[in-house]
Amino acid sequence: MTDSSLTVLKGIGEKRAELLGQLGIRTVSDLLYYLPRSYRDYSKTVPVSEMQHGDYVAASVRILSDPRTVRVKGMTIVSARATDGVSNVQLSWFNQPYRRGQVSAGEIRTVCGRVSRKKGTTILNPSVYDGLPGLIPEYPLCRGLSQRNIREALKAAVQKPELFPEETLPSEIRTRHGLCALDEAFRMVHFPRDRSELERGRKRLSFENLLSYMLAVEMQRQERTKQNGFAFRTDGILEKYERKIPFALTGAQKRVATEICADMEKPFPMNRLVQGDVGSGKTAVAVFAACVAAANGKQCAILVPTAILAEQHYRVLQPLFGSSACLLTGGMKKNERAETLERLRNGSASVAVGTHALLEQDVHFQDLGLVITDEQHRFGVRQRADMERKGIRPDVIVMSATPIPRTLAMLMYGDLDVSLIDEMPPGRKTIKTSFIAESSRDKMYDYIAEEAGHGNQTYVVCPFIDPPEELEGPSATEVYQELTSRYPGVRIDLLHGRMPQQKKDEVMERFRTGETSVLVTTTVIEVGVHVDDAVIMVLEGADRFGLAQMHQLRGRVGRGSRQAYCFLLSDNRSESVHERFAALVRNSDGFKIAEEDLSQRGPGDFLGTRQHGEGDAELLRATASMEMIVEAKETAQEIIDIPNVTNNAILQNALDRFSRQMDVITMN
Ligand code: ADP
Ligand code: MG
């Protein structure tokens, strides 16, 4: 592979190269593998009268007026009127004052952007072209880099095929699966001439990516079963545990606990995924495993994504472990932290629950025997591996509330054994979910205010913290302002991820204790936290959330005995969005929802979502089909079983791309 630094490309100096470096792009190969997050289809024009709210469209228009600049709420808005000959349309640019000179009255131009139909028809932040631009890729960006910058860099790169990485797939595999060559694929995904080219390019890269992943999983699995681990003794611990906790375990919890015991007894490391719908009681199972570790004189670390969740788990651990449980979060005082680190190092603490703070270099354990990662999708594989390295081949449990259909789980997590908690604790009522039309929104909030008077609490989740640039989509600060002025008698609080930790904790504590009735928030509350009196979940701008995410959010209510409700709000009329809502209304079982999602939309949503440092996840999501996953899995097994030098490039690719993320993979 040619690992050329980016500055060999035309137009890329030290400064640009440094910015690209922030996106993880250091070589020409990195750049070529930096794939678009999505494409805007500007290959045909849409009449103004047919434009749908939220769509991205291209329109050929005559500019009717020279642009005017106005200032609203500290924002500069440049706008101009235009017509497609039949209907008028407004063009508006937010905080881009330089756009003013871009069009002038009388010109015929092609404008491309997102449609708002809130007040008349507006195209938001349109790009202006002469003629249709076709399919335009959109890349994930960082501050200081624009779409145009990335496109220019790629344009320079495709002119230098001698710097391209080597072909990774033997021609035999390419022919068998109908895949194009690597260099062609790069051109097709970055500069597609049409949809079919784009699909061919994506298919090729998607297959390669899946194959590399499957190869890494295979190598990982082989490696793990060769390692020695600690054989725990487990007899009698489950019975003792059950006597100490305030409820009887469900059948499913007991079964999974037994599966964990069987793994822990074995002389090689456990690697188990525990899947269970929101509220199925995964914590009780995790805490049980921690008890097994402690009974064997080993330490256990429980890694969770948020401080709120860490504290919640800590409250469950304390009655069982007393002072040998400890909490480690980012917001701790210096001396408190030092004391906790000391207790972990000298072994006086047997279980630690914490956030990313647990991963830090100076956190050492005396003898870490078990690592549990809760809400595993919130962590990268690399972070989990960092945690595991703090022990010597510890047993590993990862827990997930994102139900993944079994078939898919077996394919994707080939190196994990899977346990299912497929039964809810007794007494849970299903959450009544409904879609609320914009016209009933006020009535809904009146109802919520009334319920507040009866001690019933509500979460209102918004997709944004602040009003987004284009004044589109509900934000927590706006909704908070709206509700506080409308219902002065109701105690309402605001919670979002940009608030300082201490403030967040205070807000959460007030809600938990019932002091506040309505919590306006963002997806920071997505995971794990439960408040018994919270019975209503409002999802503002629900079309912005994925199906699994909505199901997760909904699971925050209905923990107590009262009937719980989930209200979905959205001004998006697209059919696919409403199909998603319907699936949620119809089903309460996360696994059914997952199966439905899989059959409706393919496996994309389940693959590598939201894992940091996997820039190509979006492409995978868009392209992968169940058949392709199966093909990749079979091909990976063949490659591992029948060694052949022509496969070296793809094996190397698997190691390069995934070994840093997975545990140590060694080749022999
Ligand atoms: P999740 O699987 O979403 O992490 P939790 O572990 O947070 O769910 O459990 C949800 C709630 O159910 C907690 O309040 C917990 O105390 C309770 N719970 C768990 N198991 C049982 C059980 N077997 N019987 C009754 N309540 C249970
Ligand atoms: Mg949980």
Side-chain angles (χ1 to χ4, degrees), residues 279 282-283 309 312-313 374-375 399 401 527-529 556 559:
K282 291 184 289 297
T283 313
L309 197 54
Q312 184 174 294
H313 283 9
D374 194 5
E375 309 292 347
M399 302 201 291
V527 289
V529 179
R556 300 292 125 243
R559 298 296 182 117

Side-chain angles (χ1 to χ4, degrees), residues 210 212-227 263 266 268-274 376 380-382 384-385 388 394-398 404 406-419 611 633 636-637 640 658-659 661-665:
L210 279 171
S212 290
Y213 177 79
M214 297 295 189
L215 282 169
V217 167
E218 278 298 308
M219 290 188 270
Q220 167 96 342
R221 195 176 55 83
Q222 290 197 336
E223 190 55 34
R224 194 176 284 271
T225 47
K226 271 189 251 152
Q227 289 174 352
D263 276 4
K266 288 184 188 140
F268 46 80
M270 157 167 74
N271 195 26
R272 186 166 284 275
L273 169 68
V274 174
Q376 62 93 19
V381 190
R382 167 103 132 275
R384 297 200 316 250
E388 287 161 36
D395 276 14
V396 168
I397 296 175
V398 295
I404 295 169
R406 193 163 181 82
T407 41
L408 191 58
M410 277 161 51
L411 287 165
M412 298 307 296
Y413 299 119
D415 61 331
L416 293 175
D417 298 305
V418 182
S419 286
Q611 291 200 354
K633 181 83 176 177
Q637 259 148 9
I640 296 278
F658 294 101
S659 68
Q661 301 177 16
M662 310 194 79
D663 226 301
V664 218
I665 299 174

Side-chain angles (χ1 to χ4, degrees), residues 9 124 152 185 244 258 304 400 418 465 472 496 498 517 523 610 638 658:
L9 296 176
L124 304 165
E152 278 166 1
K244 283 193 189 154
T258 315
V304 302
S400 170
V418 182
I465 298 178
E472 282 294 300
H496 61 70
R498 272 213 320 265
S517 305
T523 51
R610 279 180 290 168
E638 249 172 62
F658 294 101

